[in-house]
Amino acid sequence: MCEISIIVPIYNVEKYLKRTIDSILSQSFEDFELVLVNDGSTDSSGEICDEYARRDERIKVVHKNNGGVSSARNTGLITASGRFIGFVDSDDYIAEDMYELLYNNLIKENADLSICGIYDVYEGKVLEEKENQYLIKNREETVEMILESKIISVNPVNKLYKKDLFLGVSYPEGSITEDAAVMFFLLEKAKKIVIDTTQKYYYYHRENSITTKPFSRSDMKTIEVWQNNEKYIAEKYPQYLSVAHTRVCWANLIVLDKLIMSENDYLSEQKKIVKFIRKNFSFIIKNAYFTKNRKISVILLCLNINLYKLVVYFEYSKNKTRNS
């Protein structure tokens, strides 16, 4: 048995995979196993995994039929033998001391979950440095912070978990926004959380990633997941219900933006979302979590959907120019 099992779900990432694996194998904390789950890749990703496994005995490779990132993570959890669990996405990379920091903080504070900061990496852009904070939180405080998504988020990859947190918990297969679907259930088993916002994880934003693919009806799952989270919060932490509803409104707006940029007509989905946003107009306008520009766009949406579309097209063009 090792201390940490690092799980990497892999699907068609031959361009980025060696960088990811190299960053993990270079960790200053050495008592780990690396579980590479090849989720039915059709490129050379599987061969790259096998090549690395021949070189380093800490690597386990699992080849499986394609089932999506949740299926791959669940397979990794079944395979893992470590006392603690970490996840790294197959197109990202990590600082050489990330797991040393996460592990030392977790042990020092006798915590159930350890979290570090994230760099958002875009081609050609300078990395944004954020203020360092060291925080000890209980379950309720962490739930609120994750709902607010200012300092920490539902993202699973910049965290080190006690493996026991996953007993009876698995990622929902066939769904998207799977991180948000399980995070609160993991927290339900955690009493103490340590947060060190020192940025050690490099989250690489690529144009053809799952978050930038064209809209499909499965994107409606994002709304469904946050609606389910809202029900959970209403039952367990009613004091945070307003923040939970904010996330539902946010999910509707994000999905609507993606839908509008799609080349296909999804009129029934569009009408459903627009109806929801108009119904929640006052809540959004009075809500401090939404930016001034977002509120203006919601006002335009309530006047005419075509005005809202113009704003979405403009923002998309501006961001594309900025990131090109």
Side-chain angles (χ1 to χ4, degrees):
M1 178 184 286
C2 59
E3 282 294 276
I4 300 175
S5 294
I6 303 169
I7 299 169
V8 182
I10 295 161
Y11 179 71
N12 287 356
V13 284
E14 60 183 7
K15 181 178 178 181
Y16 312 98
L17 187 54
K18 290 184 179 180
R19 179 181 65 181
T20 302
I21 297 175
D22 286 339
S23 74
I24 297 171
L25 296 180
S26 299
Q27 289 298 291
S28 55
F29 184 93
E30 296 182 343
D31 189 9
F32 69 85
E33 65 177 4
L34 174 54
V35 182
L36 302 175
V37 184
N38 175 32
D39 189 40
S41 295
T42 56
D43 64 2
S44 65
S45 295
E47 288 80 3
I48 293 171
C49 292
D50 291 335
E51 175 190 337
Y52 272 93
R54 286 190 288 269
R55 287 193 239 154
D56 197 312
E57 62 183 11
R58 294 174 296 178
I59 298 177
K60 294 179 181 177
V61 179
V62 181
H63 296 283
K64 60 183 290 296
N65 293 330
N66 180 249
V69 66
S70 289
S71 175
R73 285 199 186 123
N74 291 336
T75 298
L77 286 167
I78 293 169
T79 307
S81 63
R83 295 174 58 213
F84 306 99
I85 298 292
F87 295 102
V88 176
D89 282 346
S90 55
D91 48 2
D92 300 336
Y93 53 101
I94 59 179
E96 65 180 13
D97 61 345
M98 186 183 91
Y99 279 107
E100 181 180 1
L101 177 140
L102 289 171
Y103 180 85
N104 287 346
N105 287 345
L106 190 145
I107 297 301
K108 178 177 68 175
E109 305 296 349
N110 191 25
D112 302 291
L113 174 62
S114 180
I115 305 173
C116 70
I118 295 179
Y119 281 113
D120 286 299
V121 181
Y122 297 91
E123 290 290 347
K125 290 186 69 176
V126 177
L127 297 176
E128 180 186 353
E129 300 279 350
K130 297 180 180 177
E131 178 187 357
N132 288 350
Q133 299 183 57
Y134 189 88
L135 308 166
I136 307 297
K137 296 293 182 180
N138 62 28
R139 180 192 304 130
E140 288 193 10
E141 291 168 331
T142 307
V143 166
E144 182 181 23
M145 290 180 72
I146 283 182
L147 284 170
E148 290 176 342
S149 197
K150 293 179 179 178
I151 299 174
I152 57 174
S153 71
V154 295
N155 202 324
V157 293
N158 60 328
K159 300 172 174 67
L160 184 64
Y161 313 77
K162 280 188 175 178
K163 190 177 183 181
D164 289 350
L165 297 183
F166 286 94
L167 290 175
V169 177
S170 60
Y171 287 93
E173 300 187 14
S175 177
I176 62 173
T177 322
E178 68 286 338
D179 309 333
V182 304
M183 192 66 220
F184 296 111
F185 293 108
L186 294 173
L187 284 176
E188 197 61 36
K189 300 181 179 184
K191 294 180 181 178
K192 193 175 186 181
I193 296 89
V194 55
I195 303 164
D196 184 335
T197 62
T198 306
Q199 291 159 282
K200 297 293 183 181
Y201 191 95
Y202 293 79
Y203 186 94
Y204 182 67
H205 295 260
R206 55 189 174 102
E207 287 193 4
N208 62 338
S209 70
I210 193 168
T211 55
T212 54
K213 287 179 181 177
F215 175 86
S216 70
R217 285 189 169 86
S218 64
D219 285 300
M220 298 297 288
K221 284 281 186 181
T222 299
I223 297 172
E224 182 182 324
V225 165
W226 281 107
Q227 286 174 332
N228 290 336
N229 283 343
E230 182 179 30
K231 293 173 185 175
Y232 174 83
I233 296 298
E235 179 183 343
K236 297 282 188 177
Y237 308 99
Q239 67 271 36
Y240 303 139
L241 185 55
S242 178
V243 190
H245 190 64
T246 297
R247 293 308 299 267
V248 176
C249 293
W250 167 86
N252 274 270
L253 288 163
I254 292 297
V255 173
L256 179 60
D257 291 354
K258 194 171 184 179
L259 188 155
I260 284 172
M261 292 309 303
S262 172
E263 295 179 357
N264 299 310
D265 268 340
Y266 294 95
L267 291 179
S268 62
E269 288 83 0
Q270 178 179 298
K271 286 179 181 178
K272 183 178 179 179
I273 296 174
V274 170
K275 182 179 179 180
F276 174 88
I277 294 170
R278 287 174 174 170
K279 182 179 179 181
N280 286 273
F281 173 79
S282 295
F283 178 85
I284 295 170
I285 295 301
K286 296 175 183 178
N287 195 315
Y289 290 106
F290 290 103
T291 64
K292 180 181 178 182
N293 285 346
R294 178 56 86 178
K295 291 177 181 180
I296 291 172
S297 70
V298 169
I299 292 171
L300 294 175
L301 175 63
C302 289
L303 292 173
N304 189 298
I305 183 66
N306 291 322
L307 294 175
Y308 183 84
K309 288 181 179 180
L310 289 175
V311 173
V312 174
Y313 294 144
F314 174 76
E315 287 297 324
Y316 175 80
S317 300
K318 185 171 68 174
N319 290 333
K320 190 172 183 181
T321 300
R322 184 187 301 148
N323 294 328
S324 62

